[in-house]
Amino acid sequence: EPEVTQTPSHQVTQMGQEVILRCVPISNHLYFYWYRQILGQKVEFLVSFYNNEISEKSEIFDDQFSVERPDGSNFTLKIRSTKLEDSAMYFCASSEAGAGGYTEAFFGQGTRLTVV
Amino acid sequence: SQQGEEDPQALSIQEGENATMNCSYKTSINNLQWYRQNSGRGLVHLILIRSNEREKHSGRLRVTLDTSKKSSSLLITASRAADTASYFCATDRLANRDDKIIFGKGTRLHILP
């Protein structure tokens, strides 16, 4: 069964460093998302991406964050200068259609980011 | 504003019993999805129910949707130890045509042996 793949599974970084989280969405999907979950808290929306551009972003997704689809398969989330409060589990998701399009959003296993 | 809210926040039941979790939401939706998350792991998609559907089944899962009450329920029948996890509902928002789904805080389900 096709699945969303995320790497690495766990990343530890120094505060102020840049990190890139990588995702390979399901191959025929057109809509891509990043969410995060701070330990013990709810899953929060960060950004959605369609047709090579951001379609929506939350207030969490400030200038420190960026997304890119550098080739036909990868979808990345970059945090330019990490802060302690960026420590969280980051989930990538993809779907065939957008949020209102009656198709499921499938999530990867997540990357646990720890900023020290 | 909060779109999805599950209740109860936590639920402990004996193995073999049925578990029912509820989700309420505020604005009109196109569809509602339920996910499971084992501790510290990824989000596993369980079921999607469209706004024009009232009930949907998948194995031991039964989901209902009442759009007039803006609520949904997830029933797990004949629970097993492996069902211990957190369960989340996630909704889009029809009126805003947002391109995202919003998660509730989840119900932590614990199946007792």
Side-chain angles (χ1 to χ4, degrees):
Chain A
E1 188 174 321
E3 60 180 15
V4 176
T5 307
Q6 290 186 243
T7 56
S9 56
H10 191 188
Q11 173 124 21
V12 181
T13 189
Q14 295 274 346
M15 191 170 55
Q17 295 294 306
E18 174 184 286
V19 293
I20 297 176
L21 309 183
R22 301 180 193 280
C23 170
V24 179
I26 294 172
S27 62
N28 65 329
H29 286 186
L30 300 176
Y31 292 79
F32 314 114
Y33 307 88
W34 283 101
Y35 285 75
R36 78 170 187 192
Q37 184 181 34
I38 294 171
L39 187 63
Q41 298 188 24
K42 62 194 295 263
V43 178
E44 299 174 293
F45 169 76
L46 292 178
V47 65
S48 55
F49 191 87
Y50 168 71
N51 200 26
N52 283 319
E53 62 182 21
I54 291 173
S55 49
E56 188 167 354
K57 59 183 181 180
S58 71
E59 56 192 30
I60 302 169
F61 194 88
D62 61 22
D63 291 344
Q64 293 298 316
F65 291 87
S66 62
V67 289
E68 196 177 29
R69 188 153 161 83
D71 53 44
S73 59
N74 291 286
F75 179 51
T76 62
L77 174 69
K78 181 193 290 186
I79 309 175
R80 256 179 278 282
S81 177
T82 50
K83 309 185 196 70
L84 294 176
E85 54 265 36
D86 293 327
S87 295
M89 182 78 96
Y90 287 81
F91 292 106
C92 173
S94 69
S95 65
E96 286 183 43
Y102 303 115
T103 61
E104 299 89 342
F106 292 97
F107 284 74
Q109 287 295 310
T111 292
R112 182 169 298 285
L113 177 66
T114 303
V115 182
V116 296
Chain B
S1 63
Q2 194 70 39
Q3 174 66 339
E5 288 282 358
E6 294 91 340
D7 77 87
Q9 290 187 349
L11 179 63
S12 292
I13 61 171
Q14 293 293 137
E15 192 169 11
E17 292 181 342
N18 296 341
T20 299
M21 290 158 275
N22 302 298
C23 168
S24 59
Y25 56 91
K26 290 186 167 54
T27 64
S28 296
I29 60 173
N30 290 298
N31 57 65
L32 183 146
Q33 304 181 66
W34 282 93
Y35 290 83
R36 184 185 73 231
Q37 184 182 36
N38 291 77
S39 180
R41 305 292 295 277
L43 293 158
V44 176
H45 187 272
L46 296 176
I47 203 161
L48 178 150
I49 187 164
R50 300 182 181 190
S51 58
N52 61 353
E53 296 175 312
R54 292 295 165 258
E55 189 169 310
K56 207 161 179 181
H57 297 251
S58 176
R60 291 183 297 113
L61 305 180
R62 174 176 162 248
V63 168
T64 63
L65 180 64
D66 186 336
T67 52
S68 67
K69 294 181 180 176
K70 292 188 170 56
S71 68
S72 173
S73 68
L74 170 67
L75 168 69
I76 303 175
T77 60
S79 61
R80 305 169 182 167
D83 295 329
T84 294
S86 290
Y87 291 82
F88 298 90
C89 68
T91 56
D92 67 342
R93 290 190 293 191
L94 175 63
N96 292 5
R97 297 186 63 80
D98 297 340
D99 188 18
K100 61 179 179 281
I101 57 173
I102 302 294
F103 284 81
K105 292 183 179 178
T107 293
R108 292 188 312 280
L109 176 65
H110 186 203
I111 307 300
L112 303 167

